[in-house]
PDB file of all heavy atoms in Angstrom:
ATOM      1  N   GLY A   1      -9.094   2.413   6.026  1.00  0.00           N
ATOM      2  CA  GLY A   1      -9.703   1.126   5.785  1.00  0.00           C
ATOM      3  C   GLY A   1      -8.974   0.012   6.554  1.00  0.00           C
ATOM      4  O   GLY A   1      -9.639  -0.885   7.096  1.00  0.00           O
ATOM      5  N   TYR A   2      -7.690   0.071   6.632  1.00  0.00           N
ATOM      6  CA  TYR A   2      -6.924  -0.895   7.407  1.00  0.00           C
ATOM      7  C   TYR A   2      -7.271  -0.832   8.876  1.00  0.00           C
ATOM      8  O   TYR A   2      -7.444  -1.874   9.571  1.00  0.00           O
ATOM      9  CB  TYR A   2      -5.431  -0.685   7.216  1.00  0.00           C
ATOM     10  CG  TYR A   2      -4.843  -1.049   5.886  1.00  0.00           C
ATOM     11  CD1 TYR A   2      -3.829  -0.338   5.303  1.00  0.00           C
ATOM     12  CD2 TYR A   2      -5.420  -2.133   5.147  1.00  0.00           C
ATOM     13  CE1 TYR A   2      -3.304  -0.692   4.065  1.00  0.00           C
ATOM     14  CE2 TYR A   2      -4.914  -2.472   3.913  1.00  0.00           C
ATOM     15  CZ  TYR A   2      -3.869  -1.777   3.369  1.00  0.00           C
ATOM     16  OH  TYR A   2      -3.356  -2.100   2.146  1.00  0.00           O
ATOM     17  N   ILE A   3      -7.415   0.373   9.404  1.00  0.00           N
ATOM     18  CA  ILE A   3      -7.787   0.564  10.810  1.00  0.00           C
ATOM     19  C   ILE A   3      -9.166  -0.023  11.056  1.00  0.00           C
ATOM     20  O   ILE A   3      -9.377  -0.697  12.090  1.00  0.00           O
ATOM     21  CB  ILE A   3      -7.777   2.066  11.160  1.00  0.00           C
ATOM     22  CG1 ILE A   3      -6.264   2.575  11.129  1.00  0.00           C
ATOM     23  CG2 ILE A   3      -8.318   2.261  12.606  1.00  0.00           C
ATOM     24  CD1 ILE A   3      -6.179   4.060  11.283  1.00  0.00           C
ATOM     25  N   PHE A   4     -10.057   0.174  10.124  1.00  0.00           N
ATOM     26  CA  PHE A   4     -11.398  -0.395  10.280  1.00  0.00           C
ATOM     27  C   PHE A   4     -11.337  -1.946  10.341  1.00  0.00           C
ATOM     28  O   PHE A   4     -12.011  -2.588  11.171  1.00  0.00           O
ATOM     29  CB  PHE A   4     -12.302   0.011   9.142  1.00  0.00           C
ATOM     30  CG  PHE A   4     -13.650  -0.680   9.065  1.00  0.00           C
ATOM     31  CD1 PHE A   4     -14.656  -0.359   9.925  1.00  0.00           C
ATOM     32  CD2 PHE A   4     -13.823  -1.743   8.198  1.00  0.00           C
ATOM     33  CE1 PHE A   4     -15.889  -1.013   9.920  1.00  0.00           C
ATOM     34  CE2 PHE A   4     -15.014  -2.405   8.136  1.00  0.00           C
ATOM     35  CZ  PHE A   4     -16.070  -2.041   9.007  1.00  0.00           C
ATOM     36  N   LEU A   5     -10.507  -2.558   9.436  1.00  0.00           N
ATOM     37  CA  LEU A   5     -10.371  -3.999   9.440  1.00  0.00           C
ATOM     38  C   LEU A   5      -9.826  -4.535  10.743  1.00  0.00           C
ATOM     39  O   LEU A   5     -10.254  -5.569  11.226  1.00  0.00           O
ATOM     40  CB  LEU A   5      -9.528  -4.449   8.279  1.00  0.00           C
ATOM     41  CG  LEU A   5     -10.135  -4.317   6.822  1.00  0.00           C
ATOM     42  CD1 LEU A   5      -9.095  -4.676   5.825  1.00  0.00           C
ATOM     43  CD2 LEU A   5     -11.383  -5.211   6.721  1.00  0.00           C
ATOM     44  N   LEU A   6      -8.816  -3.784  11.257  1.00  0.00           N
ATOM     45  CA  LEU A   6      -8.213  -4.218  12.493  1.00  0.00           C
ATOM     46  C   LEU A   6      -9.214  -4.155  13.692  1.00  0.00           C
ATOM     47  O   LEU A   6      -9.206  -5.012  14.607  1.00  0.00           O
ATOM     48  CB  LEU A   6      -6.993  -3.346  12.866  1.00  0.00           C
ATOM     49  CG  LEU A   6      -5.792  -3.535  11.906  1.00  0.00           C
ATOM     50  CD1 LEU A   6      -4.692  -2.549  12.264  1.00  0.00           C
ATOM     51  CD2 LEU A   6      -5.283  -4.944  12.007  1.00  0.00           C
ATOM     52  N   MET A   7     -10.109  -3.161  13.628  1.00  0.00           N
ATOM     53  CA  MET A   7     -11.111  -3.051  14.724  1.00  0.00           C
ATOM     54  C   MET A   7     -12.212  -4.079  14.509  1.00  0.00           C
ATOM     55  O   MET A   7     -12.725  -4.606  15.497  1.00  0.00           O
ATOM     56  CB  MET A   7     -11.693  -1.673  14.711  1.00  0.00           C
ATOM     57  CG  MET A   7     -10.707  -0.546  15.038  1.00  0.00           C
ATOM     58  SD  MET A   7     -11.340   1.135  14.879  1.00  0.00           S
ATOM     59  CE  MET A   7     -12.662   1.048  16.100  1.00  0.00           C
ATOM     60  N   ARG A   8     -12.561  -4.390  13.275  1.00  0.00           N
ATOM     61  CA  ARG A   8     -13.652  -5.296  12.970  1.00  0.00           C
ATOM     62  C   ARG A   8     -13.230  -6.764  13.119  1.00  0.00           C
ATOM     63  O   ARG A   8     -14.010  -7.588  13.556  1.00  0.00           O
ATOM     64  CB  ARG A   8     -14.110  -5.064  11.517  1.00  0.00           C
ATOM     65  CG  ARG A   8     -15.243  -5.950  11.060  1.00  0.00           C
ATOM     66  CD  ARG A   8     -16.532  -5.663  11.754  1.00  0.00           C
ATOM     67  NE  ARG A   8     -17.646  -6.452  11.308  1.00  0.00           N
ATOM     68  CZ  ARG A   8     -17.830  -7.744  11.600  1.00  0.00           C
ATOM     69  NH1 ARG A   8     -17.032  -8.342  12.476  1.00  0.00           N
ATOM     70  NH2 ARG A   8     -18.856  -8.394  11.090  1.00  0.00           N
ATOM     71  N   PHE A   9     -11.997  -7.054  12.812  1.00  0.00           N
ATOM     72  CA  PHE A   9     -11.473  -8.443  12.926  1.00  0.00           C
ATOM     73  C   PHE A   9     -10.172  -8.462  13.729  1.00  0.00           C
ATOM     74  O   PHE A   9      -9.053  -8.496  13.177  1.00  0.00           O
ATOM     75  CB  PHE A   9     -11.240  -9.027  11.517  1.00  0.00           C
ATOM     76  CG  PHE A   9     -12.427  -8.947  10.608  1.00  0.00           C
ATOM     77  CD1 PHE A   9     -12.515  -7.921   9.648  1.00  0.00           C
ATOM     78  CD2 PHE A   9     -13.443  -9.847  10.693  1.00  0.00           C
ATOM     79  CE1 PHE A   9     -13.564  -7.851   8.813  1.00  0.00           C
ATOM     80  CE2 PHE A   9     -14.573  -9.774   9.844  1.00  0.00           C
ATOM     81  CZ  PHE A   9     -14.608  -8.792   8.936  1.00  0.00           C
ATOM     82  N   PRO A  10     -10.253  -8.415  15.044  1.00  0.00           N
ATOM     83  CA  PRO A  10      -9.074  -8.286  15.883  1.00  0.00           C
ATOM     84  C   PRO A  10      -8.318  -9.606  16.128  1.00  0.00           C
ATOM     85  O   PRO A  10      -8.004  -9.921  17.267  1.00  0.00           O
ATOM     86  CB  PRO A  10      -9.672  -7.721  17.183  1.00  0.00           C
ATOM     87  CG  PRO A  10     -11.027  -8.323  17.257  1.00  0.00           C
ATOM     88  CD  PRO A  10     -11.521  -8.399  15.818  1.00  0.00           C
ATOM     89  N   PHE A  11      -8.103 -10.369  15.037  1.00  0.00           N
ATOM     90  CA  PHE A  11      -7.312 -11.554  15.152  1.00  0.00           C
ATOM     91  C   PHE A  11      -5.780 -11.195  15.224  1.00  0.00           C
ATOM     92  O   PHE A  11      -5.425 -10.280  14.501  1.00  0.00           O
ATOM     93  CB  PHE A  11      -7.538 -12.524  13.981  1.00  0.00           C
ATOM     94  CG  PHE A  11      -8.976 -12.942  13.789  1.00  0.00           C
ATOM     95  CD1 PHE A  11      -9.653 -12.611  12.636  1.00  0.00           C
ATOM     96  CD2 PHE A  11      -9.605 -13.638  14.823  1.00  0.00           C
ATOM     97  CE1 PHE A  11     -10.989 -12.979  12.488  1.00  0.00           C
ATOM     98  CE2 PHE A  11     -10.950 -14.026  14.651  1.00  0.00           C
ATOM     99  CZ  PHE A  11     -11.645 -13.721  13.526  1.00  0.00           C
ATOM    100  N   TRP A  12      -5.011 -11.892  16.009  1.00  0.00           N
ATOM    101  CA  TRP A  12      -3.647 -11.452  16.180  1.00  0.00           C
ATOM    102  C   TRP A  12      -2.862 -11.589  14.878  1.00  0.00           C
ATOM    103  O   TRP A  12      -1.958 -10.778  14.589  1.00  0.00           O
ATOM    104  CB  TRP A  12      -2.968 -12.286  17.254  1.00  0.00           C
ATOM    105  CG  TRP A  12      -2.690 -13.727  16.929  1.00  0.00           C
ATOM    106  CD1 TRP A  12      -3.489 -14.786  17.222  1.00  0.00           C
ATOM    107  CD2 TRP A  12      -1.561 -14.237  16.250  1.00  0.00           C
ATOM    108  NE1 TRP A  12      -2.909 -15.971  16.752  1.00  0.00           N
ATOM    109  CE2 TRP A  12      -1.732 -15.669  16.133  1.00  0.00           C
ATOM    110  CE3 TRP A  12      -0.393 -13.638  15.721  1.00  0.00           C
ATOM    111  CZ2 TRP A  12      -0.752 -16.475  15.526  1.00  0.00           C
ATOM    112  CZ3 TRP A  12       0.531 -14.462  15.130  1.00  0.00           C
ATOM    113  CH2 TRP A  12       0.370 -15.851  15.022  1.00  0.00           C
ATOM    114  N   GLN A  13      -3.229 -12.531  14.020  1.00  0.00           N
ATOM    115  CA  GLN A  13      -2.558 -12.689  12.748  1.00  0.00           C
ATOM    116  C   GLN A  13      -2.760 -11.452  11.833  1.00  0.00           C
ATOM    117  O   GLN A  13      -1.852 -10.987  11.169  1.00  0.00           O
ATOM    118  CB  GLN A  13      -3.013 -13.948  11.995  1.00  0.00           C
ATOM    119  CG  GLN A  13      -2.704 -15.278  12.701  1.00  0.00           C
ATOM    120  CD  GLN A  13      -3.818 -15.716  13.620  1.00  0.00           C
ATOM    121  OE1 GLN A  13      -4.638 -14.915  14.071  1.00  0.00           O
ATOM    122  NE2 GLN A  13      -3.869 -17.010  13.851  1.00  0.00           N
ATOM    123  N   LEU A  14      -3.978 -10.995  11.914  1.00  0.00           N
ATOM    124  CA  LEU A  14      -4.300  -9.762  11.077  1.00  0.00           C
ATOM    125  C   LEU A  14      -3.681  -8.510  11.728  1.00  0.00           C
ATOM    126  O   LEU A  14      -3.262  -7.590  10.972  1.00  0.00           O
ATOM    127  CB  LEU A  14      -5.808  -9.577  10.992  1.00  0.00           C
ATOM    128  CG  LEU A  14      -6.569 -10.632  10.137  1.00  0.00           C
ATOM    129  CD1 LEU A  14      -8.028 -10.258  10.068  1.00  0.00           C
ATOM    130  CD2 LEU A  14      -5.968 -10.740   8.751  1.00  0.00           C
ATOM    131  N   LEU A  15      -3.601  -8.507  13.052  1.00  0.00           N
ATOM    132  CA  LEU A  15      -2.980  -7.363  13.736  1.00  0.00           C
ATOM    133  C   LEU A  15      -1.537  -7.250  13.311  1.00  0.00           C
ATOM    134  O   LEU A  15      -0.995  -6.131  13.102  1.00  0.00           O
ATOM    135  CB  LEU A  15      -3.104  -7.528  15.232  1.00  0.00           C
ATOM    136  CG  LEU A  15      -4.462  -7.423  15.853  1.00  0.00           C
ATOM    137  CD1 LEU A  15      -4.454  -7.714  17.336  1.00  0.00           C
ATOM    138  CD2 LEU A  15      -5.034  -5.957  15.634  1.00  0.00           C
ATOM    139  N   VAL A  16      -0.837  -8.391  13.116  1.00  0.00           N
ATOM    140  CA  VAL A  16       0.526  -8.383  12.692  1.00  0.00           C
ATOM    141  C   VAL A  16       0.630  -7.986  11.240  1.00  0.00           C
ATOM    142  O   VAL A  16       1.353  -7.036  10.869  1.00  0.00           O
ATOM    143  CB  VAL A  16       1.157  -9.766  12.901  1.00  0.00           C
ATOM    144  CG1 VAL A  16       2.576  -9.790  12.283  1.00  0.00           C
ATOM    145  CG2 VAL A  16       1.262 -10.061  14.386  1.00  0.00           C
ATOM    146  N   CYS A  17      -0.094  -8.733  10.371  1.00  0.00           N
ATOM    147  CA  CYS A  17       0.048  -8.503   8.917  1.00  0.00           C
ATOM    148  C   CYS A  17      -0.479  -7.102   8.497  1.00  0.00           C
ATOM    149  O   CYS A  17       0.258  -6.335   7.839  1.00  0.00           O
ATOM    150  CB  CYS A  17      -0.733  -9.603   8.154  1.00  0.00           C
ATOM    151  SG  CYS A  17      -0.009 -11.229   8.303  1.00  0.00           S
ATOM    152  N   ILE A  18      -1.676  -6.805   8.847  1.00  0.00           N
ATOM    153  CA  ILE A  18      -2.262  -5.530   8.414  1.00  0.00           C
ATOM    154  C   ILE A  18      -1.571  -4.383   9.155  1.00  0.00           C
ATOM    155  O   ILE A  18      -1.417  -3.297   8.592  1.00  0.00           O
ATOM    156  CB  ILE A  18      -3.803  -5.524   8.664  1.00  0.00           C
ATOM    157  CG1 ILE A  18      -4.473  -6.573   7.794  1.00  0.00           C
ATOM    158  CG2 ILE A  18      -4.358  -4.120   8.357  1.00  0.00           C
ATOM    159  CD1 ILE A  18      -5.973  -6.638   7.921  1.00  0.00           C
ATOM    160  N   GLY A  19      -1.121  -4.634  10.374  1.00  0.00           N
ATOM    161  CA  GLY A  19      -0.412  -3.598  11.102  1.00  0.00           C
ATOM    162  C   GLY A  19       0.880  -3.203  10.376  1.00  0.00           C
ATOM    163  O   GLY A  19       1.197  -2.011  10.289  1.00  0.00           O
ATOM    164  N   ILE A  20       1.580  -4.219   9.863  1.00  0.00           N
ATOM    165  CA  ILE A  20       2.823  -3.935   9.128  1.00  0.00           C
ATOM    166  C   ILE A  20       2.487  -3.156   7.840  1.00  0.00           C
ATOM    167  O   ILE A  20       3.184  -2.213   7.468  1.00  0.00           O
ATOM    168  CB  ILE A  20       3.549  -5.255   8.789  1.00  0.00           C
ATOM    169  CG1 ILE A  20       4.118  -5.909  10.057  1.00  0.00           C
ATOM    170  CG2 ILE A  20       4.688  -5.020   7.804  1.00  0.00           C
ATOM    171  CD1 ILE A  20       4.737  -7.260   9.861  1.00  0.00           C
ATOM    172  N   VAL A  21       1.450  -3.602   7.153  1.00  0.00           N
ATOM    173  CA  VAL A  21       1.064  -2.921   5.899  1.00  0.00           C
ATOM    174  C   VAL A  21       0.606  -1.473   6.181  1.00  0.00           C
ATOM    175  O   VAL A  21       0.892  -0.544   5.451  1.00  0.00           O
ATOM    176  CB  VAL A  21      -0.048  -3.674   5.167  1.00  0.00           C
ATOM    177  CG1 VAL A  21      -0.513  -2.935   3.913  1.00  0.00           C
ATOM    178  CG2 VAL A  21       0.453  -5.101   4.786  1.00  0.00           C
ATOM    179  N   LEU A  22      -0.076  -1.315   7.287  1.00  0.00           N
ATOM    180  CA  LEU A  22      -0.529   0.041   7.687  1.00  0.00           C
ATOM    181  C   LEU A  22       0.695   0.925   7.937  1.00  0.00           C
ATOM    182  O   LEU A  22       0.666   2.100   7.546  1.00  0.00           O
ATOM    183  CB  LEU A  22      -1.406  -0.050   8.954  1.00  0.00           C
ATOM    184  CG  LEU A  22      -1.856   1.274   9.562  1.00  0.00           C
ATOM    185  CD1 LEU A  22      -2.702   2.076   8.557  1.00  0.00           C
ATOM    186  CD2 LEU A  22      -2.683   0.988  10.844  1.00  0.00           C
ATOM    187  N   ILE A  23       1.658   0.424   8.636  1.00  0.00           N
ATOM    188  CA  ILE A  23       2.884   1.223   8.876  1.00  0.00           C
ATOM    189  C   ILE A  23       3.591   1.579   7.602  1.00  0.00           C
ATOM    190  O   ILE A  23       3.995   2.755   7.417  1.00  0.00           O
ATOM    191  CB  ILE A  23       3.841   0.415   9.801  1.00  0.00           C
ATOM    192  CG1 ILE A  23       3.224   0.301  11.235  1.00  0.00           C
ATOM    193  CG2 ILE A  23       5.203   1.115   9.888  1.00  0.00           C
ATOM    194  CD1 ILE A  23       4.059  -0.624  12.113  1.00  0.00           C
ATOM    195  N   PHE A  24       3.641   0.650   6.661  1.00  0.00           N
ATOM    196  CA  PHE A  24       4.253   0.913   5.362  1.00  0.00           C
ATOM    197  C   PHE A  24       3.450   2.011   4.614  1.00  0.00           C
ATOM    198  O   PHE A  24       4.013   2.922   3.982  1.00  0.00           O
ATOM    199  CB  PHE A  24       4.272  -0.334   4.517  1.00  0.00           C
ATOM    200  CG  PHE A  24       4.563  -0.119   3.048  1.00  0.00           C
ATOM    201  CD1 PHE A  24       5.807   0.238   2.623  1.00  0.00           C
ATOM    202  CD2 PHE A  24       3.536  -0.204   2.109  1.00  0.00           C
ATOM    203  CE1 PHE A  24       6.048   0.496   1.296  1.00  0.00           C
ATOM    204  CE2 PHE A  24       3.783   0.032   0.771  1.00  0.00           C
ATOM    205  CZ  PHE A  24       5.064   0.356   0.344  1.00  0.00           C
ATOM    206  N   THR A  25       2.107   1.880   4.664  1.00  0.00           N
ATOM    207  CA  THR A  25       1.277   2.888   3.974  1.00  0.00           C
ATOM    208  C   THR A  25       1.494   4.279   4.533  1.00  0.00           C
ATOM    209  O   THR A  25       1.583   5.260   3.804  1.00  0.00           O
ATOM    210  CB  THR A  25      -0.191   2.484   4.036  1.00  0.00           C
ATOM    211  OG1 THR A  25      -0.359   1.137   3.540  1.00  0.00           O
ATOM    212  CG2 THR A  25      -1.053   3.406   3.234  1.00  0.00           C
ATOM    213  N   ALA A  26       1.533   4.361   5.878  1.00  0.00           N
ATOM    214  CA  ALA A  26       1.735   5.653   6.520  1.00  0.00           C
ATOM    215  C   ALA A  26       3.144   6.232   6.155  1.00  0.00           C
ATOM    216  O   ALA A  26       3.293   7.414   5.928  1.00  0.00           O
ATOM    217  CB  ALA A  26       1.620   5.481   8.052  1.00  0.00           C
ATOM    218  N   TRP A  27       4.138   5.349   6.112  1.00  0.00           N
ATOM    219  CA  TRP A  27       5.463   5.757   5.707  1.00  0.00           C
ATOM    220  C   TRP A  27       5.450   6.284   4.277  1.00  0.00           C
ATOM    221  O   TRP A  27       6.106   7.288   3.999  1.00  0.00           O
ATOM    222  CB  TRP A  27       6.420   4.587   5.879  1.00  0.00           C
ATOM    223  CG  TRP A  27       7.779   4.830   5.268  1.00  0.00           C
ATOM    224  CD1 TRP A  27       8.827   5.462   5.823  1.00  0.00           C
ATOM    225  CD2 TRP A  27       8.225   4.367   3.962  1.00  0.00           C
ATOM    226  NE1 TRP A  27       9.888   5.466   4.984  1.00  0.00           N
ATOM    227  CE2 TRP A  27       9.566   4.820   3.831  1.00  0.00           C
ATOM    228  CE3 TRP A  27       7.620   3.695   2.917  1.00  0.00           C
ATOM    229  CZ2 TRP A  27      10.293   4.581   2.660  1.00  0.00           C
ATOM    230  CZ3 TRP A  27       8.361   3.457   1.789  1.00  0.00           C
ATOM    231  CH2 TRP A  27       9.672   3.899   1.631  1.00  0.00           C
ATOM    232  N   ALA A  28       4.781   5.560   3.385  1.00  0.00           N
ATOM    233  CA  ALA A  28       4.711   5.960   1.961  1.00  0.00           C
ATOM    234  C   ALA A  28       4.034   7.311   1.840  1.00  0.00           C
ATOM    235  O   ALA A  28       4.497   8.168   1.016  1.00  0.00           O
ATOM    236  CB  ALA A  28       3.987   4.885   1.156  1.00  0.00           C
ATOM    237  N   VAL A  29       2.974   7.521   2.570  1.00  0.00           N
ATOM    238  CA  VAL A  29       2.289   8.858   2.540  1.00  0.00           C
ATOM    239  C   VAL A  29       3.234   9.941   3.007  1.00  0.00           C
ATOM    240  O   VAL A  29       3.289  11.033   2.397  1.00  0.00           O
ATOM    241  CB  VAL A  29       0.973   8.808   3.378  1.00  0.00           C
ATOM    242  CG1 VAL A  29       0.415  10.183   3.544  1.00  0.00           C
ATOM    243  CG2 VAL A  29      -0.042   7.885   2.750  1.00  0.00           C
ATOM    244  N   ALA A  30       3.918   9.690   4.106  1.00  0.00           N
ATOM    245  CA  ALA A  30       4.867  10.693   4.636  1.00  0.00           C
ATOM    246  C   ALA A  30       5.950  11.033   3.644  1.00  0.00           C
ATOM    247  O   ALA A  30       6.290  12.175   3.432  1.00  0.00           O
ATOM    248  CB  ALA A  30       5.451  10.178   5.965  1.00  0.00           C
ATOM    249  N   LYS A  31       6.496   9.969   2.971  1.00  0.00           N
ATOM    250  CA  LYS A  31       7.559  10.229   2.016  1.00  0.00           C
ATOM    251  C   LYS A  31       7.047  10.997   0.816  1.00  0.00           C
ATOM    252  O   LYS A  31       7.761  11.862   0.237  1.00  0.00           O
ATOM    253  CB  LYS A  31       8.145   8.871   1.538  1.00  0.00           C
ATOM    254  CG  LYS A  31       8.863   8.124   2.574  1.00  0.00           C
ATOM    255  CD  LYS A  31      10.195   8.775   3.000  1.00  0.00           C
ATOM    256  CE  LYS A  31      11.243   8.667   1.890  1.00  0.00           C
ATOM    257  NZ  LYS A  31      12.540   9.227   2.297  1.00  0.00           N
ATOM    258  N   ALA A  32       5.829  10.685   0.391  1.00  0.00           N
ATOM    259  CA  ALA A  32       5.214  11.408  -0.759  1.00  0.00           C
ATOM    260  C   ALA A  32       4.992  12.879  -0.438  1.00  0.00           C
ATOM    261  O   ALA A  32       5.313  13.787  -1.259  1.00  0.00           O
ATOM    262  CB  ALA A  32       3.887  10.770  -1.168  1.00  0.00           C
ATOM    263  N   LEU A  33       4.567  13.158   0.777  1.00  0.00           N
ATOM    264  CA  LEU A  33       4.347  14.542   1.179  1.00  0.00           C
ATOM    265  C   LEU A  33       5.656  15.309   1.349  1.00  0.00           C
ATOM    266  O   LEU A  33       5.741  16.517   1.005  1.00  0.00           O
ATOM    267  CB  LEU A  33       3.538  14.589   2.483  1.00  0.00           C
ATOM    268  CG  LEU A  33       2.094  14.144   2.364  1.00  0.00           C
ATOM    269  CD1 LEU A  33       1.419  14.132   3.749  1.00  0.00           C
ATOM    270  CD2 LEU A  33       1.276  15.021   1.428  1.00  0.00           C
ATOM    271  N   LEU A  34       6.688  14.644   1.785  1.00  0.00           N
ATOM    272  CA  LEU A  34       7.999  15.250   1.908  1.00  0.00           C
ATOM    273  C   LEU A  34       8.571  15.606   0.559  1.00  0.00           C
ATOM    274  O   LEU A  34       9.180  16.664   0.345  1.00  0.00           O
ATOM    275  CB  LEU A  34       8.976  14.331   2.663  1.00  0.00           C
ATOM    276  CG  LEU A  34       8.765  14.216   4.183  1.00  0.00           C
ATOM    277  CD1 LEU A  34       9.653  13.159   4.786  1.00  0.00           C
ATOM    278  CD2 LEU A  34       8.991  15.581   4.863  1.00  0.00           C
ATOM    279  N   LEU A  35       8.346  14.667  -0.422  1.00  0.00           N
ATOM    280  CA  LEU A  35       8.798  14.935  -1.781  1.00  0.00           C
ATOM    281  C   LEU A  35       8.010  16.081  -2.402  1.00  0.00           C
ATOM    282  O   LEU A  35       8.617  16.940  -3.061  1.00  0.00           O
ATOM    283  CB  LEU A  35       8.633  13.673  -2.649  1.00  0.00           C
ATOM    284  CG  LEU A  35       9.135  13.775  -4.082  1.00  0.00           C
ATOM    285  CD1 LEU A  35      10.584  14.083  -4.099  1.00  0.00           C
ATOM    286  CD2 LEU A  35       8.878  12.457  -4.822  1.00  0.00           C
ATOM    287  N   TYR A  36       6.704  16.102  -2.142  1.00  0.00           N
ATOM    288  CA  TYR A  36       5.935  17.238  -2.610  1.00  0.00           C
ATOM    289  C   TYR A  36       6.418  18.572  -2.055  1.00  0.00           C
ATOM    290  O   TYR A  36       6.524  19.543  -2.800  1.00  0.00           O
ATOM    291  CB  TYR A  36       4.448  17.017  -2.188  1.00  0.00           C
ATOM    292  CG  TYR A  36       3.534  18.190  -2.504  1.00  0.00           C
ATOM    293  CD1 TYR A  36       2.981  18.367  -3.747  1.00  0.00           C
ATOM    294  CD2 TYR A  36       3.247  19.147  -1.510  1.00  0.00           C
ATOM    295  CE1 TYR A  36       2.155  19.418  -4.020  1.00  0.00           C
ATOM    296  CE2 TYR A  36       2.408  20.225  -1.795  1.00  0.00           C
ATOM    297  CZ  TYR A  36       1.862  20.349  -3.011  1.00  0.00           C
ATOM    298  OH  TYR A  36       1.047  21.454  -3.304  1.00  0.00           O
ATOM    299  N   LYS A  37       6.730  18.570  -0.781  1.00  0.00           N
ATOM    300  CA  LYS A  37       7.254  19.762  -0.136  1.00  0.00           C
ATOM    301  C   LYS A  37       8.598  20.186  -0.749  1.00  0.00           C
ATOM    302  O   LYS A  37       8.871  21.382  -0.913  1.00  0.00           O
ATOM    303  CB  LYS A  37       7.358  19.583   1.345  1.00  0.00           C
ATOM    304  CG  LYS A  37       7.810  20.830   2.138  1.00  0.00           C
ATOM    305  CD  LYS A  37       7.850  20.530   3.648  1.00  0.00           C
ATOM    306  CE  LYS A  37       8.304  21.755   4.427  1.00  0.00           C
ATOM    307  NZ  LYS A  37       8.382  21.488   5.895  1.00  0.00           N
TER     308      LYS A  37
END
């Protein structure tokens, strides 16, 4: 969903904010999968 928003509304402010949140979300998913493993 974040990637869709970045493509739909390519404002630099959103690229920064949502990009940071996207990185955090990907990190959280990776940590959850590592804990599961």
Side-chain angles (χ1 to χ4, degrees):
Y2 288 147
I3 293 172
F4 171 78
L5 287 176
L6 291 176
M7 296 175 62
R8 180 68 177 78
F9 306 100
F11 303 118
W12 71 264
Q13 296 92 337
L14 292 183
L15 291 175
V16 173
C17 293
I18 296 181
I20 291 174
V21 177
L22 176 60
I23 292 172
F24 166 73
T25 305
W27 170 83
V29 169
K31 293 292 287 185
L33 292 175
L34 287 174
L35 183 60
Y36 173 83
K37 184 178 179 181

